Amino acid sequence: MGIAAKLSCTNCEYSQHVFVGIGFRFLDLRAILEWYKPEEGREQIKAFMREEDARVVCYKGVYACEHCGYLLNEVYLHIELQTQSYTNHYDCPRCHTQMPKQPFQREVEIECLDCPECEGGKLDVNYDMDWD
Ligand SMILES: [Zn+2]
Ligand SMILES: [Zn+2]
């Protein structure tokens, strides 16, 4: 289901392991609540769980900071019910601006990322085993 990959810069020492995609505990709110940590999101999950038809989109992806290029491998969580919705969000750990709303999760997107540490560096992607 999900993909594990190692990103490494062809130009400098930067490397990072990332996981993208859906895990088996990502499919419904009850399962997500077992591992999801941020308090704000947990409150939202509990509130939406009271309703039968809440729809959830949850996957792991790579957020790329538009300001400084930092890459953050985190969980995207979006819940909606009729006209209400909740989407989680992150601030960049390096420059503290808000990350884009959606992370990259497709292989073609991951393969186009730029190095966050050096000017003009491209990232090589090596896929490991599937996870989950
Ligand atoms: Zn680099
Ligand atoms: Zn940043």
Side-chain angles (χ1 to χ4, degrees), residues 9 11-12 14 115 117-118 121:
C9 182
N11 190 40
C12 75
Y14 175 83
C115 177
E117 298 296 336
C118 72

Side-chain angles (χ1 to χ4, degrees), residues 48 51 53-55 80-85:
F48 279 99
E51 310 294 334
D53 321 319
R55 204 174 69 86
E80 61 182 37
L81 176 71
Q82 292 151 15
T83 57
Q84 295 176 59
S85 72

Side-chain angles (χ1 to χ4, degrees), residues 65 67-70 92 94-95 97:
C65 178
H67 190 67
C68 76
Y70 189 90
C92 175
R94 185 157 70 184
C95 74
T97 57

